[in-house]
Each structure stands twice: as structure tokens, then as C-alpha cells.
């Protein structure tokens, strides 16, 4: 079969911050993450999708313990960049499957998404690489998601 | 210092497909990627940011040689899901830094973004994990991005 999912992990100590409607032009990401970096905020995942009408949303996650600090910096940046809004949400968790050879095995991510769908769990953010698929979901669905995905790949 | 960027890679043979405005409810991602998986389309990165008014955009990349096939499947799914639009774009490339310990070294991603900003290169999509930061940019800026990022981290 080829693709091997080697582990499923759940991180319940994450918070997300979203900049809504930032200008999609060079320098914006550098400014936001430069400021966060200067203040030593560890950023976990960063997600940015394509722009519409020259603006896009930029989200990232941090440890929940860093949320207040990250939000304070982000709100300041948001004003400077004239973002429509900057919100935070620590009622999330991140569920991740890690595997080998996933890039060449279409359907591995789909299997994870299907398990979540069957549990009625909404996928709020997706970020992937060749070796991992991460989904941000509601915090109170984390344990259920972990159990179901574990059963799917390791039963 | 701690975080070590071990390589920079450029993939100029990628195409992106975006579903604009799909319902943000369970089952959507499973349906889209289930269909792509059934037809053996290898999906590289998947990016989905948070929803607005119960809808969100879903983008993914494939090898440029798979774009036509992926688009055909996607357009069909898009109609079924009543997406506002499904577009493809093979005028992109993906630039990635891979490293160790990046999650605990804020500022590594910011350095990459800063290099791109200084070259006037717009970052169109971002997807990250603990060990990598990938940016989708215009195809004709790939080589310049690779050179500049390589100099930044390996000079
Ligand atoms: C939105 C942000 O990524 C912007 N496009 C930049 O290049 O910095
Ligand atoms: C948009 C898509 O990810 C949807 N929220 C789902 O769970 O399938």
C-alpha cells in the first residue's frame, strides 16, 4: 500500500489568531512575524490562502499560554496594517497525522477527513506537508477525533 | 542559536487549485479529497483558513502535469458543493525551507518572509509545520527567491 501513518497527535494547548483582510502585498507577512519573533513568541502553524480583491486572511497558532501576548502584538500590527479585524480563539485543538510517503499516496488525507466527517467534526483549518496533515478543530472534539483517527489507522 | 535551516527547495512544477466559498461544514474536505484520491491524484499541500459567514476557501497544489485532471474533478465537485468558483493556476512555484527546531525559534519563518519582501516577492499562500515553511509565489520569481533565501541561511 505504501503510505504509512506512523502517529496521530493531539495538541489541546493551542490558540489561533487571525488577521482578517490584510493587504496581499510584499512585506506584510514579514512585518507580522518579525514582530512576533522579536518578542519571542513561538508560532506553530501559519496558514494563508489565496487573496481576493488584493486582500487575504492570515492565521497562525501559538501555545495557549502565549495567546494574550501574541494577541496584544497582533492587534497593534492589525491597526498598523488596517486589517479588518484581528481575533483570537483558544477553544481549538490541533490534530495531526504524521506519515511517510504520504505525498505519493493520495487518499491518506482524505481518510483522515472522512473520519472527522463521520464523527460530525468540522475542520476549521488545514495545513499539510509531505509528511503530515494538521487540522484545527473545536477543542471539545479533540479526544473524539484522536480516538477515531487512531482506530482508523492503527486498528 | 538553535534553529537550523538545513535546506531550501524550489518546486517549479506545481499548480494550484482553489475552491472559493465552499460550505464550512463536516464532510466537505472529505468529499473533495476523497474524489481526488479515488482518481489517484497526488495532492501536495492543502491550505484552508478560517471561515467567514459559514464558508471558506480550500486550496491545494498538485504536480503541474496533474492539473488538468485535478481541475476536471474539482470543477465537478465545485458544482455539487455549489462553490462560488473553482480556479486553477500553474503560474506558481513553491519555495520551502526545511529545518530542525524551528517551532521553538520564532523568527525563522519571519526571516524567510523578510527575504522575500526585500526582493519584492509577494507571498500568495503559506503552509507550515514544525520543520518546514512553504510559500507559494509567482513562478517567475522562484529562482530569485531560491537564491536570496539560500544566501540568507547559508552564506
Ligand atoms: C499576506 C502576505 O503574505 C503578503 N502577501 C506578503 O507577501 O507578505
Ligand atoms: C471546508 C471543510 O474543511 C469543512 N469544514 C469540512 O470539515 O470538511
Amino acid at each position: 500500500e505504501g503510505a504509512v501513518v506512523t502517529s496521530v497527535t493531539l495538541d489541546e494547548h493551542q490558540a489561533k489568531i487571525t488577521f482578517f483582510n490584510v493587504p496581499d502585498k510584499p512585506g506584510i507577512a514579514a512585518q507580522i512575524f518579525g514582530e512576533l519573533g522579536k518578542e519571542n513568541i513561538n508560532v506553530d502553524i501559519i496558514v494563508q490562502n489565496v487573496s481576493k480583491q488584493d486582500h487575504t486572511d492570515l492565521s497562525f497558532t501559538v501555545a495557549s499560554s502565549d495567546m494574550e501576548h501574541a494577541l496584544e502584538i497582533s492587534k497593534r500590527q492589525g491597526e498598523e496594517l488596517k486589517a479588518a479585524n484581528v481575533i483570537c480563539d483558544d477553544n481549538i485543538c490541533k490534530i495531526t497525522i504524521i506519515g511517510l510517503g504520504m505525498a505519493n499516496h493520495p487518499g491518506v488525507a482524505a481518510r483522515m477527513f472522512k473520519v472527522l466527517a463521520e464523527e460530525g467534526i468540522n475542520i476549521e483549518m488545514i495545513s499539510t506537508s509531505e509528511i503530515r496533515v494538521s487540522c484545527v478543530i473545536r477543542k471539545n472534539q479533540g479526544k473524539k477525533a484522536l480516538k477515531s483517527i487512531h482506530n482508523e489507522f492503527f486498528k
Side-chain angles (χ1 to χ4, degrees), chain A residues 15 22 25 38 45 52 74 77 94 97 103 114 148 152:
Chain A
V22 288
K25 56 175 186 167
K38 260 199 228 153
I45 63 174
K52 297 195 284 236
S74 301
Q77 290 304 310
K94 183 184 71 166
I97 57 171
K114 186 152 194 280
S148 318
E152 170 68 18

Side-chain angles (χ1 to χ4, degrees), chain A residues 22-33 48-49 51 54-58:
Chain A
V22 288
D24 185 24
K25 56 175 186 167
I28 303 299
Q31 181 170 335
I32 290 171
F33 294 97
Q48 175 191 317
N49 209 338
S51 64
D54 302 326
H55 284 75
T56 188
D57 303 330
L58 235 176

